Structures are given as C-alpha cells and as structure tokens.
Amino acid sequence: MGLKILTEHINVPGINTFETYRKMGGYRSVEKALKTMTPDEVVDEVKKSGLRGRGGAGFPTGMKWSFLAKPEGKPRYLVCNADESEPGTFKDRVLMEKIPHALIEGMITSSYALGARTSYIYIRGELMFVLRILEKAIAEAYAAGFLGENILGSGYSLDLHVHPGGGAYICGEETALLESLEGKRGNPRNKPPFPAVQGLYACPTVVNNVESIATVPWIVNNTGEEYAKIGVGRSTGTKLISAGGHLNKPGVYEIELGLPVEEFLFSDEYCGGIWKGRQFKAVVAGGSSVPILPAQLFLKTAEGTPRLMTYESLSEGGFVSGTMLGSGGFIAMDDTTCIVRNTWNFSRFYHHESCGQCSPCREGTGWMEKILHRIEHGHGHMHDIDLLVNVSKQIEGNTICPLGDAAAWPVASAVRHFREEFEWHVKHPDKATAPGAVYRGAEDLAFA
Ligand SMILES: Cc1cc2nc3c(=O)[nH]c(=O)nc-3n(C[C@H](O)[C@H](O)[C@H](O)COP(=O)(O)O)c2cc1C
Ligand code: SF4
C-alpha cells in the first residue's frame, strides 16, 4: 500500500464532520502554524516540500506564494480553484465531498501564511451539493473558533466564503475565475500583470487548486523536508489521480509520485487493468487537454525506459513521444475506441467552451471540429488531415489563455500517433469506424 496523505482517513465514518475530523488529528496544522510559526516560516516549509500545483501546470506552490506582492495598504487574497471542469478529472470533487475539513484546514493555514484575511473557494456551480457540504463544514469551523475573529486567541482573523461558479470550463482558468468571482463574465485576462500583483479586485492574490491547498496541513505538521522525501526528483509527494475510461477499477487513487505507470494501470491495488480483458490502445494521462499517447509509448518512452507517474517521466520525449501529468485526469481507452471519433468529441467540447476573445481559438476550434466531423462522417479528404495539423499549429501559442493550446494538443497528437486511422476513415467513407472500433452512438454524443 502506498503512503496516503490526503485520503488516509477518507473512509472513516463521519469524517465529514468537524468532531470526527478533529478526533483523527485534524486542524493540528492550524494550531501549530498560528501558535508557533511566523507566516514566512510556513511559506518556507511549503517551498522546501517541493509541492507542485495540482491544478494542471505543476508550478511550485512555495515559489508562487513568494511572488505575492508585499502589502501596500491593500488586502491579499487566497482563492481556491475548485472549478474542476477538465474532462476526465474528478479528484477535487471527491476530496471536498468526503473530507471537506481537509480543504478548510488547508485554507486557514495557507491564508495565514499569505497574510489573507478573506479567502474564497470558487466551486463549479453544478456541484451545488458539494457547496452545501463545504458551507456546513465552514459553519462548524467558525463555531469551533478555527475561523472568524482572533482564531484560537492568536490575533489572526480569517473569513472564508464559498462561491458558486458559472459552470463554464473557462472559469477554471485562474484569471477568468477572478473575473467571475468579481461578478463579471469569466473571460481570461491578459498577463502580466499576474494575480500575485493584481488579482482579485486588483489586489495581490494567490489562486491554488483544492488538492494543493489540502496538502499544506501535512507539510506544516511533518515539515517540508519530510514531504520532499516522498516521490522522485522534482515530483515530490503524493498525487490524486482520477482514473476513468475502459478500466476494471475506475476511481480516485492517491499514488506516490514515481509509481511505474504499468503498476498503476494493471495492479489490483489501483486500476486493475483494462476492462473485459481487452487490449490497451491509448491513454490521455492528465485530463483532456494533454496529448494522447498510444499504449506502447505510455508504458515505455521512445528510448525504451519504463515511464513513471511523475511530471518529468510522462513528458519525456516532449510532445513528439511524450505527454503531461496535467490535472491527473487519466482516461484509458481499449482497442474498441475510435480515435477519430474521440478527437472529434474533445474538439466539440473545446469549441463549445472557447470564450471567443481571441480569433485563433474562437475560429480555430470551430474549424477543427468541422474538419473532424467531416472525416468521421465519411466526407473527409486526405488533405483534411494535414489541414487539421495546420489549424492546430495556428492556435498553439497564439492565444490569451492556455485553452487554445488545450484544444490544439489533443488534435495534433491524435494525428501524430494515429494518422493511419484518420486515413482509413477518408478511404472508407461508407464505414462508421476503423477496424476493431465500435460505434457507441448516444454515449459518444454527450456534448451534442
Ligand atoms: C481552461 C483552463 C481551465 C482550468 N481549470 C482548472 C480547474 O478547474 N482547477 C484548477 O485548479 N486549475 C485549473 N486550471 C489551471 C488554473 O489556471 C491555475 O493554474 C491553477 O488553479 C493554479 O493552482 P495550482 O498552482 O495549485 O495548480 C485551468 C486552466 C485553464 C487554462
Ligand atoms: S484562448 Fe480561447 S478561451 Fe482563452 S481567452 Fe482566447 S478565446 Fe478565450
């Protein structure tokens, strides 16, 4: 059994209540930080831990915290990004639903470190039932003196609010999230200025993912040095992976970073292998926005070294033969999956979710969707395949926010690794899918 930091107590009956969470050792980090540490000391521990943001980009959390502009009479804010709209990613939701106090404890300890007096949890609007769970847990924390005025007599005060989001994928992008939190349409802002300088209400702000924040109490309790001992190289600690698709045991797993991908996929402790004894065809390892990899390149790099569940190992080979750990949204595909149909499905999603501010993304996502529709429905031409790659290249790196890249990478990588499948579709306009693939009808039309 791998070490569990976030999920150790997740199945304890009543762990969603303050009383049980506290009995299991909860809120110790708040006591330790507020009574025995300065805010800078907490920031230092997080820096030493090597913790990297769990929202997708993997930017070091401690470094991000140290960029926060010094107070000049302005308040500072901590905003938790609980939007979690990346297709294939559902880890934050499980954490908040099952053990809400883990996030609240992390919010208090992190807010203290950052000098924030008001903090927000921005949660996807559709998750209203999780918002209610969080609200109840926050009320319990206020009643126990862990939130509000003069927490535990330390002189530090904090107010924590939960805010429902608009239910758009783009509201997970940190600057769009801040716009939305300010009551405006969730359009991404140009950067710089970065939120650390001008974030919420133009004040210095840190935006962090749920999992990142929920990890802070363990670091404070056990030291950053101990956290840095877990994992491999610059991929320290544990990571929640939401595993879905054609697996025997889909679910949310906490793994120690550095676990071999083969063990994660095939061992009984984790995913238990591909369902119905079918062949493993492809994987999207870190949410729908990362490049798709064929099975053989996922298990081993192009050089033949076994891949590990780390930021570095999964990206080995760059985008030619590698991918990204991203948000940890792991989607496994068996040999009945039609890659063209799957790519079209992703493309429809990104076209629908583009905010429309930049023309490469607004127009390009639509063009990619149309071309993929053509190929999938037997009206494609051979030159459409290169056209797809061309459009994806025009989007990549030419937009205000990374949604454009997120739309381009799945398409470019699908053509790179599965070109013959696209050609097969063009050559056989009368056939619904490539050989071996199965047309799944309504199931595939979820975004229609
Ligand atoms: C289109 C888009 C959607 C995103 N959605 C989320 C999300 O739902 N949750 C999240 O934590 N980060 C999301 N991100 C990343 C955030 O912009 C930001 O990097 C992250 O919240 C920072 O937290 P971290 O440093 O703890 O990872 C998204 C980014 C983009 C471009
Ligand atoms: S890349 Fe797309 S989603 Fe991002 S700002 Fe531009 S149009 Fe909007």
Side-chain angles (χ1 to χ4, degrees), residues 52-59 61 64 81-86 92 169-170 172-175 207-210 212 401-403:
R52 292 168 68 168
R54 305 305 196 209
F59 191 81
T61 305
K64 187 190 237 183
N81 189 343
D83 197 56
E84 195 168 61
S85 315
E86 179 87 357
D92 295 340
Y169 174 57
I170 194 58
E173 194 280 331
E174 58 182 6
T175 59
V207 180
N208 270 141
N209 171 258
V210 171
S212 315
C401 93
L403 186 138

Side-chain angles (χ1 to χ4, degrees), residues 95-272:
L95 203 61
M96 292 185 288
E97 188 182 337
K98 294 248 189 184
I99 185 162
H101 285 284
L103 175 59
I104 295 161
E105 180 179 356
M107 286 299 287
I108 302 167
T109 310
S110 306
S111 299
Y112 171 73
L114 297 168
R117 301 295 158 128
T118 308
S119 295
Y120 296 92
I121 301 172
Y122 181 96
I123 188 164
R124 189 170 172 78
E126 283 89 339
L127 292 184
M128 203 44 97
F129 74 102
V130 183
L131 180 141
R132 297 280 176 246
I133 290 171
L134 287 172
E135 277 180 340
K136 182 170 170 284
I138 288 172
E140 287 178 323
Y142 267 105
F146 281 87
L147 277 171
E149 288 292 310
N150 193 18
I151 298 170
L152 308 176
S154 65
Y156 175 66
S157 307
L158 176 69
D159 281 314
L160 179 59
H161 305 279
V162 197
H163 186 96
Y169 174 57
I170 194 58
C171 288
E173 194 280 331
E174 58 182 6
T175 59
L177 184 156
L178 295 175
E179 286 286 296
S180 172
L181 196 50
E182 289 177 5
K184 294 177 259 172
R185 187 188 160 113
N187 281 353
R189 297 174 182 169
N190 267 312
K191 294 195 258 187
F194 289 91
V197 179
Q198 267 187 49
L200 188 64
Y201 310 122
C203 297
T205 302
V206 165
V207 180
N208 270 141
N209 171 258
V210 171
E211 186 186 346
S212 315
I213 293 172
T215 304
V216 171
W218 194 95
I219 294 170
V220 169
N221 288 334
N222 298 277
T223 76
E225 215 170 3
E226 282 304 306
Y227 189 83
K229 287 182 191 160
I230 311 160
V232 172
R234 291 196 305 116
S235 294
T236 62
T238 66
K239 170 96 190 79
L240 295 179
I241 305 287
S242 29
H246 302 150
L247 296 169
N248 280 322
K249 288 168 60 191
V252 174
Y253 295 102
E254 182 169 9
I255 59 155
E256 285 181 50
L257 285 168
L259 181 78
V261 295
E262 195 155 357
E263 195 179 328
F264 178 65
L265 188 56
F266 291 107
S267 77
D268 278 341
E269 188 179 347
Y270 299 106
C271 305

Side-chain angles (χ1 to χ4, degrees), residues 85-91 241-244 286-288 327-331 346:
S85 315
E86 179 87 357
T89 310
F90 44 93
K91 64 182 179 80
I241 305 287
S242 29
S288 67
S327 61
F330 184 97
I331 309 169
F346 279 174

